[in-house]
Amino acid sequence: HRSSSLHADVAEAESDVAAITTDPKEAVKLFGRLAEKYIMLDSTAGMCCYSACSDCEYREPGGGYRMADQSSARPKWIPCYDHREFGSGKEHTTKWSTDIFTEGPAVTKEEFVERVINLEFAPPLGGPFLAKSAAAIEDESAAAALFDILAGEKEKLTRFRMGKEMKVHACGEEGVTWNHFSTALGAK
């Protein structure tokens, strides 16, 4: 009956993660530090003219388009990749991969929290609006909760695992948006 004990442990761990609640303003302070204005999406999207051509190879069945990349006026996505390069010569390295993992491929919880808190904040798209002057993080608990969400039971978070876990929270999309982020942190 070891499996029933394991099942109970898994259910308890899942309920612990589900029990995370974060003040939306504290969550947006983190999101505005991690989110970016640019994301690379689909290298096969090519050079679509976005003129709604009926035979466009880049058009989705539902009417949208496969896009190679996107930009926004304010930070909108936390890319799930650390570095991406397309054959066209475009490439992007995420700020989380270079600013959190400064000394190697893994960080402890303390290193993660310190580095996230020290990232520059920019008011993002999504969440409650917060001016840069009001975005200081004094309570580290939201950053610590984010580490726990990404690292699970591990003592260290690797760059690879961070990308992989963010992809899970992004529901398979290439970037975590405010809705995904706030749901993961229980900031609704």
Side-chain angles (χ1 to χ4, degrees), residues 2-12:
R2 171 110 173 102
S3 66
S4 63
S5 171
L6 177 62
H7 180 70
D9 291 345
V10 169
E12 182 179 322

Side-chain angles (χ1 to χ4, degrees), residues 25-105:
K25 286 191 176 183
E26 292 302 313
V28 88
K29 290 177 183 181
L30 295 177
F31 189 71
R33 283 170 165 75
L34 294 166
E36 302 193 33
K37 295 179 182 183
Y38 178 74
I39 190 167
M40 293 179 75
L41 300 168
D42 184 350
S43 64
T44 65
M47 298 298 294
C48 180
C49 67
Y50 305 110
S51 295
C53 306
S54 60
D55 62 342
C56 178
E57 64 183 291
Y58 306 115
R59 197 153 163 116
E60 298 287 351
Y65 296 93
R66 284 192 339 260
M67 302 180 91
D69 57 358
Q70 285 188 318
S71 297
S72 81
R74 293 196 334 227
K76 182 177 179 178
W77 308 274
I78 304 171
C80 297
Y81 56 86
D82 61 338
H83 177 84
R84 184 164 283 171
E85 191 171 339
F86 291 165
S88 64
K90 283 187 177 183
E91 68 178 290
H92 179 233
T93 301
T94 60
K95 69 179 182 179
W96 66 260
S97 69
T98 57
D99 294 350
I100 295 173
F101 298 93
T102 58
E103 297 171 18

